[in-house]
């Protein structure tokens, strides 16, 4: 049984005070974590405040990124060791914006996946896909390669805990989600890749999310697909009422 995961990715939005009031506002309005798990990945400088405001402790507070070394002379970076000490369970790794604007390569993403596991957290590994690649038929190759590269050297014990997100960059922030069939196809492809690298059993236990313009009015259709175990929502996770609706998609 894969527990659905409804995750938000705030990107570089909000302030500490706004982050606190969001977390306060969602207390008591999210489903039990063993029915539908909910998480918000936020900038590192909000995390302590969000943890303190999260009195009900149903919402998971995650990070959006971290570095691949635990400590050292890496000015401006976020330590995965420090995130773990705070009690952060999830860190997004390899978001397409990190790949595009901060030059994160498959090798860097693989090191980060290993660092997140080494520090007792779970990575939410994002795979992207451009429209050019989709139209040229290169998409299969591309998604398979990203998943394979991200998991290089990762043990089956760790890989069994991973969360992967299929996030076509042509759908991110565009207002138009991939169709439910396209989302299913991407998530299925990722599951098959995990089965090829590890085993069917492992692949069947891993949660695979779809991300890209997920909103309260399209989440139910996406979540109805067999291989879509959750969503990674950007814009629609910023507003507390919209996030509460996403989290309660089973009642929409
Ligand atoms: P979006 O972003 O929901 O605003 O399209 C999703 C993401 O980038 O994770």
């Amino acid at each position: 049984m894969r527990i659905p995961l409804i995750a938000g990715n705030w990107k570089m939005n909000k302030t500490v005070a706004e982050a606190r009031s969001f977390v306060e506002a969602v207390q008591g309005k999210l489903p039990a974590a063993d029915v539908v798990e909910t998480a918000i990945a936020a900038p590192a400088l909000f995390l302590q405040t969000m943890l303190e405001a999260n009195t009900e402790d149903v919402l998971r507070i995650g990070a959006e990124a971290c570095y691949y070394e635990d400590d050292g002379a890496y000015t401006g970076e976020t330590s995965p060791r420090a995130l773990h000490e705070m009690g952060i369970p999830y860190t997004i790794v390899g978001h397409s914006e990190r790949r595009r604007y901060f030059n994160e390569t498959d090798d860097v993403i693989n090191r980060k996946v290993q660092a997140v596991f080494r520090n007792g957290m779970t990575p939410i590994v994002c795979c992207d896909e451009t429209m050019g690649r989709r139209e040229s038929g290169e998409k299969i190759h591309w998604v398979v390669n990203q998943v394979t590269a991200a998991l290089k050297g990762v043990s089956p014990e760790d890989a069994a805990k991973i969360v992967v997100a299929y996030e076509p960059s042509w759908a991110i922030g565009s207002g138009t989600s991939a169709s439910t069939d396209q989302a299913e196809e991407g998530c299925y492809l990722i599951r098959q890749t995990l089965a090829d690298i590890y085993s069917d059993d492992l692949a069947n236990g891993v949660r695979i999310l779809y991300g890209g313009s997920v909103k309260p009015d399209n989440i139910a259709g996406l979540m109805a697909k067999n291989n879509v175990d959750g969503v990674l929502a950007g814009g629609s996770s910023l507003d507390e009422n919209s996030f509460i609706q996403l989290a309660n998609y089973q009642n929409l």
Side-chain angles (χ1 to χ4, degrees):
M1 236 300 268
R2 303 189 294 261
I3 296 173
L5 173 59
I6 306 302
N9 169 18
W10 280 357
K11 313 192 179 188
M12 198 182 73
N13 291 296
K14 294 194 186 287
T15 64
V16 176
E18 288 163 0
R20 181 192 295 114
S21 66
F22 177 101
V23 175
E24 286 168 356
V26 302
Q27 300 303 297
K29 304 205 171 105
L30 300 175
D34 57 353
V35 179
V36 175
E37 200 182 349
T38 50
I40 292 284
L45 75 167
F46 303 170
L47 298 177
Q48 189 59 42
T49 301
M50 292 173 73
L51 288 165
E52 283 161 17
N54 193 30
T55 47
E56 186 192 36
D57 205 19
V58 166
L59 179 68
R60 315 280 195 228
I61 311 292
E64 293 177 14
C66 69
Y67 198 51
Y68 55 71
E69 297 289 353
D70 295 353
D71 303 275
Y74 305 105
T75 303
E77 285 291 350
T78 300
S79 154
R81 192 170 77 84
L83 289 175
H84 175 64
E85 191 215 54
M86 292 173 84
I88 298 299
Y90 290 114
T91 300
I92 297 177
V93 178
H95 190 277
S96 69
E97 287 148 18
R98 301 289 318 170
R99 294 178 193 258
R100 187 162 9 128
Y101 303 130
F102 304 99
N103 302 320
E104 286 195 6
T105 60
D106 282 341
D107 176 56
V108 165
I109 289 159
N110 174 243
R111 289 183 198 212
K112 292 189 172 191
V113 167
Q114 302 206 23
V116 169
F117 279 129
R118 182 171 72 238
N119 285 285
M121 298 183 288
T122 298
I124 300 176
V125 178
C126 298
C127 303
D128 68 2
E129 168 205 278
T130 63
M131 194 39 122
R133 290 200 179 88
R134 168 161 278 272
E135 284 174 344
S136 70
E138 214 194 312
K139 63 177 189 292
I140 296 185
H141 180 67
W142 188 254
V143 171
V144 169
N145 278 359
Q146 284 182 66
V147 175
T148 307
L151 287 166
K152 214 167 104 195
V154 173
S155 69
E157 291 70 34
D158 280 342
K161 293 179 262 171
I162 206 166
V163 176
V164 186
Y166 169 63
E167 294 215 309
S169 31
W170 45 270
I172 294 178
S174 70
T176 307
S177 158
S179 71
T180 55
D181 286 343
Q182 287 167 333
E184 169 68 7
E185 179 194 47
C187 293
Y188 171 78
L189 195 52
I190 290 168
R191 200 177 305 286
Q192 284 312 304
T193 307
L194 293 169
D196 289 344
I197 303 173
Y198 297 99
S199 67
D200 285 352
D201 262 10
L202 186 145
N204 286 332
V206 168
R207 290 179 298 176
I208 304 177
L209 317 182
Y210 164 76
S213 299
V214 175
K215 292 174 271 195
D217 65 8
N218 62 21
I219 188 170
L222 292 161
M223 291 302 293
K225 291 292 182 182
N226 280 346
N227 283 289
V228 179
D229 304 316
V231 299
L232 186 56
S236 66
S237 72
L238 289 168
D239 173 73
E240 45 261 33
N241 292 321
S242 157
F243 184 70
I244 291 165
Q245 282 186 283
L246 293 178
N248 293 286
Y249 71 92
Q250 288 171 333
N251 309 325
L252 285 175

